[in-house]
Amino acid sequence: MTSREQRLAQVFVEVADTLVADSTSRGTLFSVGQVAELLGIPAVTLRSWERRYDIGPSQRSPGQHRRYNRADVERLQRMRNLIAAGMPAREAAPLSAAATAGTDRDSAELWSEHEAQYLVDLASSARLQLLADELQSCLTQRGVASAWDQVIRPGLRILEARQLATGDCTDIELVLTQAVSEAVDRHTDLLRARAGDAPHPVLLICSPGERHYLPLKILQGALLDQAVPTVFLGPGLPVDAAIDAITRITPSVVVLWALVRRRELMKFHRTITSDGGVVSCAAGPGWPHSPDPATTLDSAIEQISELWLTANSGAATSGQMRRDT
């Protein structure tokens, strides 16, 4: 092989390594540099630990570059923590293979922080396909509620902090929120088959003037994760149209979402619930205290699921009584 051919082969290997790193760093494989940045450990230290204590990566790239998986990273983190507590490295190395409850929790928090930052980085560089893949993986592995609480919302908070510190990053936030919305739509399409259709689903409605509806989409996905059938009506729905939808769909529960407080909210709430047969749940921080709103995702899931089960068990009992008579 000529020197030119050797150089071309080396370039090919380097490109292949880059593609492997890009396509797998979201949860499978990490380079030495990524692990060093994640754990705050110099890359030379990682190589030293591998040479001296056999704590190294599980895999190699086509170019024989080190690639660490999640278990490798968590073991390195445990070793780092033991050394920081005063234990010699030679003693920390074998102990790092045994996980404890505390270090497991630390690892989970570290992993969530890394995933949130990774979402922001992908949105910042407009790497939309990788962003979509990462979100899909996160939703599938964690479930909608955990993905929102542990990764997606922290990512949005990173952008909020950056906005306050350095100025406008509205475009990055728009890229991320749009990607999240599309990923949740794809995920809920898969979940809907499991929940199936129901004669009296949960109806999710945005309050008048409400434009920020991403949390309501997240709630829909979290309910479908619990096999609770839902119908989501997007923003901009007039009050009369909302009432017509309730009449046609006959939902077991109507969820009224409001992120921003507005004067017309209580009138909207009274109009929707004026029919005594409508079971409603106010959700979101925009509501005054009088409707007793669910202001966290967990409380909304719990409250709505309980209302849905109660309504459907009541309907089933009523139907059975009619058949018996």
Side-chain angles (χ1 to χ4, degrees), residues 14 32 40 46 53 114 141 146 152 160 164 178 202 225 227 254 269 313 316:
E14 290 172 357
V32 174
L46 294 177
Y53 310 115
H114 172 71
Q141 293 174 10
S146 294
I152 298 171
E160 290 174 5
L164 293 173
Q178 180 64 28
V202 172
D225 258 339
V254 177
H269 187 273
S313 62

Side-chain angles (χ1 to χ4, degrees), residues 27 46 100 193 214 220 243 321:
L46 294 177
T100 64
L214 180 59
Q220 180 190 30
I243 295 173
M321 290 177 62

Side-chain angles (χ1 to χ4, degrees), residues 30-292:
F30 294 86
S31 69
V32 174
Q34 288 173 316
V35 175
E37 182 179 0
L38 180 62
L39 298 180
I41 301 172
V44 66
T45 300
L46 294 177
R47 296 187 181 96
S48 174
W49 286 357
E50 179 185 2
R51 185 175 63 255
R52 294 183 179 183
Y53 310 115
D54 196 26
I55 299 181
S58 298
Q59 299 185 40
R60 298 272 176 168
S61 73
Q64 293 303 303
H65 295 288
R66 295 170 176 83
R67 291 291 180 259
Y68 297 79
N69 63 24
R70 175 170 178 166
D72 297 332
V73 175
E74 292 177 352
R75 184 179 180 187
L76 288 167
Q77 188 202 16
R78 289 193 291 271
M79 181 161 176
R80 181 200 65 182
N81 292 346
L82 290 171
I83 293 173
M87 182 177 294
R90 64 179 178 278
E91 297 177 16
L95 289 176
S96 66
T100 64
T103 54
D104 278 348
R105 183 173 62 253
D106 291 343
S107 295
E109 291 173 357
L110 175 73
W111 205 259
S112 297
E113 179 183 341
H114 172 71
E115 285 186 282
Q117 184 61 59
Y118 187 52
L119 291 183
V120 172
D121 292 343
L122 291 177
S124 300
S125 57
R127 299 163 75 187
L128 300 184
Q129 187 56 58
L130 276 176
L131 179 58
D133 292 344
E134 170 67 13
L135 285 166
Q136 201 63 46
S137 175
C138 183
L139 290 166
T140 301
Q141 293 174 10
R142 293 176 179 266
V144 177
S146 294
W148 173 256
D149 285 334
Q150 298 170 9
V151 180
I152 298 171
R153 188 165 61 175
L156 292 171
R157 285 176 176 166
I158 290 172
L159 287 176
E160 290 174 5
R162 184 183 298 181
Q163 174 82 11
L164 293 173
T166 63
D168 188 25
C169 56
T170 305
D171 58 323
I172 302 173
E173 183 180 0
L174 289 174
V175 168
L176 181 55
T177 54
Q178 180 64 28
V180 171
S181 180
E182 293 172 356
V184 171
D185 283 341
R186 289 191 297 271
H187 189 69
T188 53
D189 284 343
L190 298 175
L191 293 174
R192 197 176 299 283
R194 183 169 54 132
D197 291 326
H200 305 290
V202 172
L203 180 61
L204 307 172
I205 298 178
C206 288
S207 298
E210 187 59 67
R211 302 173 120 192
H212 301 281
Y213 58 90
L214 180 59
L216 191 60
K217 276 195 171 186
I218 295 292
L219 175 59
Q220 180 190 30
L223 290 171
L224 286 170
D225 258 339
Q226 303 294 323
V228 176
T230 65
V231 175
F232 172 74
L233 300 181
L237 190 71
V239 176
D240 291 344
I243 295 173
D244 290 343
I246 293 171
T247 302
R248 281 194 297 270
I249 297 172
T250 63
S252 54
V253 184
V254 177
V255 179
L256 307 175
W257 164 255
L259 179 67
V260 179
R261 183 167 298 190
R262 295 180 174 86
R263 281 182 294 178
E264 64 268 24
L265 279 181
M266 288 309 300
K267 180 180 178 181
F268 173 66
H269 187 273
R270 286 192 298 269
T271 301
I272 294 296
T273 59
S274 59
D275 181 355
V278 174
V279 178
S280 67
C281 172
W287 287 101
H289 294 299
S290 47
D292 190 22

